[in-house]
Amino acid sequence: MKPVLLLFVLFLAGCNLAPKYHTPAITLPMNYKEAPGWAAAEPSDAVARGEWWILFNDPILNELESKVIITNQNVASFRAAYQAARALVITQRAALFPLISLTGSRSRSIPFTGQSDSSFVSGAGGALSASSNYMFGIGASWEPDLWGKLSNAVSQAEAGEAASEGDLINAALSAQGELAANYIQLRGIDAQRVLLDRIIEDYQRALVIASNKYEVGTVARSDVFQAQTSLSNALALRQDLDRQRAVLEHAIAVLTGENPSTFTLAPETWQPVVPDVPVTLPATLLQRRPDIAAAERRVAAANASIGIQRAAYFPQITLTAGVRTTTSVMDQLFKASTSLWSFGLSGVETLLDFGARRGQVLQAKALFDQAVALYRQTVLSAFQQVEDNLAATRVLADVTHSQTEAANAAAHAQTIINNQYLSGMVDYSQVIIAQTTALNAQQAQIQAVINQQAAAVALIQAIGGHWSPILDIDKKPLHNNLGDLF
């Protein structure tokens, strides 16, 4: 009878009450709206592995980016959460197997005779001798996975592990993108500081010229005041750039896991490199974006949770077995004559819970629907970010071209006005207008290129930072790809 019962239990262990899982349906476009006719490109091997920052051709940026995944504390926090998720999988898998325990004890009994303790120690007065008892036992208990509760718990933990992996990769990508954006802004400020240093020298010469012309009586004193105003304004702009650069330098220090008080980035020549971002297709975005992959794995975890809650409607059965041996003689501890074997089967079934189980199942289904909605929202947001940055990349290229033309024209106009002022053909107000226009145009030109670079970084983040799938959303986490990052 017992073998038949055991076979029946093993047969039931194949049951699974979770709904059959399917990735939530998403309608995908064939192409991106803001990139008609965009052809696929093959990036270099390093870029394909995710080292996208090398596209900017800046060795210092490359060095800083390599530190992020190691020393950035936010990434370290997500790495610890990922390790905890992996440990949970180990814990849940262990529940599928029997729990084996080992017990042992030694007790010593001394008969009571009313005599002092010293008589027992010395043996005087005919005291009774003490006796020892030894006990050793091995026990095992196993809860068969009759209704798929335990296997669904494993599936839920594995999905959580994959989601944590996606969170970790997304945190690294976010930190790397933020670092690149801050670094680009900092180098742009370096370029503006060089520009303003040159402008300040020009304004200083203009002030000397206006002062000399005033001394000889060819211009009014207002020209000197106007020249001084332009110089002072330029100096104020230059000083504020120092403030902005310090803030960005501090942010970069924190992103690389260093103390801002001891971190310094020396000024460098600006590299106005605007890379061509290798293309990804809409259909691959779901696999390449770590946040999408993480959201999908949370849907899978919520689906497994439904099976766990449904299993509560059915009995919980536990099988136990054990052997215990007790003797007062150590040499006979492991003899069969002193052993006691036991086998057992117990079951628990809730008869009345006033709707508690039904409420838990309904809650699990609602959480599944919530996870599906969050997954679809994550997909929609991802496509929005890609479309936004595709539009920005295209438009900002035209903006940079126009700003370059404006800066060149303003520089030529300033040269002409300066010569006319030296010749006495125009008053100093015309010089002020030309100087201000040229300065604004040159600053706008630099900022336009910075905006282009920042848009390239944002686009790379929007398409996932990698040019190969990071996570397969229908499978377990691909740890070999994660190893490329960590």
Side-chain angles (χ1 to χ4, degrees):
M1 182 64 183
K2 288 182 179 179
V4 175
L5 179 60
L6 181 60
L7 289 174
F8 179 70
V9 169
L10 293 175
F11 172 75
L12 290 178
C15 296
N16 190 331
L17 300 177
K20 185 174 178 58
Y21 179 70
H22 298 283
T23 302
I26 295 290
T27 302
L28 299 177
M30 294 299 295
N31 297 291
Y32 294 110
K33 173 186 174 182
E34 298 295 343
W38 202 19
E42 290 294 334
S44 65
D45 290 341
V47 175
R49 291 196 303 270
E51 297 176 4
W52 50 264
W53 47 85
I54 68 174
L55 295 171
F56 291 91
N57 194 30
D58 191 315
I60 297 178
L61 177 60
N62 296 345
E63 181 182 356
L64 292 171
E65 291 287 2
S66 66
K67 296 180 180 180
V68 170
I69 58 176
I70 301 173
T71 56
N72 181 276
Q73 295 306 299
N74 189 48
V75 175
S77 172
F78 279 94
R79 187 185 297 112
Y82 171 61
Q83 295 297 336
R86 295 188 69 178
L88 179 60
V89 173
I90 297 174
T91 302
Q92 296 294 359
R93 284 176 180 166
L96 295 172
F97 303 95
L99 177 64
I100 299 175
S101 59
L102 175 66
T103 58
S105 66
R106 175 182 178 270
S107 61
R108 184 173 176 83
S109 60
I110 301 175
F112 178 75
T113 63
Q115 300 181 24
S116 64
D117 291 344
S118 60
S119 65
F120 291 100
V121 176
S122 63
L128 298 176
S129 62
S131 63
S132 297
N133 291 307
Y134 302 92
M135 190 278 290
F136 177 83
I138 297 178
S141 63
W142 177 48
E143 180 184 347
D145 191 19
L146 300 183
W147 323 112
K149 177 181 177 181
L150 300 180
S151 58
N152 280 321
V154 173
S155 298
Q156 185 182 43
E158 289 176 342
E161 177 190 1
S164 293
E165 181 181 5
D167 292 340
L168 171 56
I169 298 172
N170 193 56
L173 176 60
S174 177
Q176 290 164 342
E178 186 178 355
L179 171 62
N182 288 340
Y183 183 84
I184 287 168
Q185 289 287 345
L186 183 142
R187 291 308 181 205
I189 287 177
D190 283 347
Q192 293 188 52
R193 294 202 307 177
V194 171
L195 169 65
L196 276 170
D197 287 341
R198 188 177 69 249
I199 293 296
I200 288 172
E201 291 179 359
D202 293 340
Y203 286 4
Q204 288 172 337
R205 286 193 293 270
L207 176 60
V208 172
I209 292 172
S211 299
N212 291 338
K213 291 174 73 67
Y214 169 71
E215 292 295 333
V216 299
T218 58
V219 297
R221 192 178 182 186
S222 59
D223 287 10
V224 178
F225 291 140
Q226 287 178 319
Q228 182 63 57
T229 300
S230 296
L231 175 60
S232 298
N233 285 335
L235 288 170
L237 288 174
R238 177 62 174 78
Q239 292 159 355
D240 189 61
L241 287 178
D242 290 341
R243 177 194 63 81
Q244 296 177 43
R245 190 185 192 280
V247 171
L248 290 169
E249 188 178 68
H250 302 158
I252 291 172
V254 173
L255 286 167
T256 56
E258 297 192 34
N259 194 311
S261 298
T262 57
F263 179 83
T264 301
L265 269 179
E268 291 286 340
T269 303
W270 182 43
Q271 300 288 341
V273 176
V274 180
D276 293 327
V277 178
V279 179
T280 180
L281 298 176
T284 65
L285 186 65
L286 302 188
Q287 295 176 329
R288 296 183 56 259
R289 285 265 305 214
D291 57 340
I292 292 179
E296 188 279 334
R297 288 290 83 196
R298 289 190 170 91
V299 177
N303 185 79
S305 178
I306 295 175
I308 295 173
Q309 299 304 329
R310 284 177 173 174
Y313 279 105
F314 300 92
Q316 178 181 343
I317 295 176
T318 303
L319 302 176
T320 59
V323 57
R324 187 180 66 178
T325 178
T326 304
T327 182
S328 60
V329 182
M330 189 67 178
D331 294 341
Q332 298 179 357
L333 185 61
F334 297 102
K335 289 186 177 181
S337 59
T338 65
S339 299
L340 175 65
W341 293 81
S342 64
F343 299 92
L345 184 150
S346 63
V348 178
E349 168 66 2
T350 301
L351 297 179
L352 184 63
D353 62 5
F354 301 97
R357 288 172 293 182
R358 179 174 176 272
Q360 291 170 347
V361 172
L362 292 175
Q363 182 185 35
K365 290 181 177 179
L367 292 175
F368 172 81
D369 293 337
Q370 181 187 36
V372 171
L374 291 174
Y375 166 72
R376 289 174 173 158
Q377 181 62 36
T378 303
V379 173
L380 292 175
S381 297
F383 275 92
Q384 178 187 7
Q385 292 169 8
V386 172
E387 295 287 2
D388 287 349
N389 289 290
L390 284 173
T393 300
R394 185 187 71 251
V395 173
L396 287 172
D398 296 334
V399 171
T400 299
H401 177 73
S402 298
Q403 290 291 357
T404 300
E405 290 183 340
N408 292 335
H412 291 311
Q414 181 182 9
T415 300
I416 293 173
I417 294 297
N418 285 339
N419 292 334
Q420 289 177 340
Y421 177 74
L422 292 175
S423 302
M425 299 174 59
V426 297
D427 58 24
Y428 200 77
S429 62
Q430 298 297 316
V431 176
I432 295 296
I433 294 174
Q435 287 176 336
T436 303
T437 302
L439 175 59
N440 291 339
Q442 289 172 315
Q443 286 185 306
Q445 179 190 14
I446 294 174
Q447 189 60 52
V449 178
I450 294 173
N451 291 341
Q452 269 193 284
Q453 293 176 316
V457 172
L459 179 57
I460 290 170
Q461 287 183 285
I463 62 177
H466 278 238
W467 280 263
S468 60
I470 296 178
L471 298 174
D472 188 331
I473 60 177
D474 293 320
K475 299 179 181 178
K476 293 186 291 185
L478 303 179
H479 299 298
N480 58 326
N481 284 336
L482 186 64
D484 292 341
L485 284 177
F486 302 99

